[in-house]
Amino acid sequence: METLNNCENCKFYNRHYTIFAARLSYANCGNCKNCEINSNTARKIVKNKMPCEYFEQAENEPPVSRDKLQNIILQMKKQLDDLLIIIRQE
């Protein structure tokens, strides 16, 4: 199966997400984060799904393990708890 050279398959594409009904899902949009290309041009390419000379195939990253994800969330919780302590002191 051939991979399409479009923004959604590019390593510079930053997909947007939305939370609806307490669920995270893909928004039907995103933006280009390649600093080699003018932001107005990048926006036009992404919006109109035009071919881009800066396209680079995104690497398929292996999924994060459940244990690693749980550890990341626990670290985030600790950081949020610390911020809450600071906010309550003010």
Side-chain angles (χ1 to χ4, degrees), residues 14-19 24-29:
N14 186 26
R15 182 181 302 277
H16 294 182
Y17 296 87
T18 184
I19 297 174
L24 184 67
S25 59
Y26 293 125
N28 210 8
C29 61

Side-chain angles (χ1 to χ4, degrees), residues 6 12-13 16-17 27 29 40 42 44 54-55 63 75 84 90:
N6 62 23
F12 299 112
Y13 185 69
H16 294 182
Y17 296 87
C29 61
N40 289 331
K44 185 167 85 173
Y54 297 98
F55 175 86
Q75 289 174 1
L84 190 57
E90 292 180 354

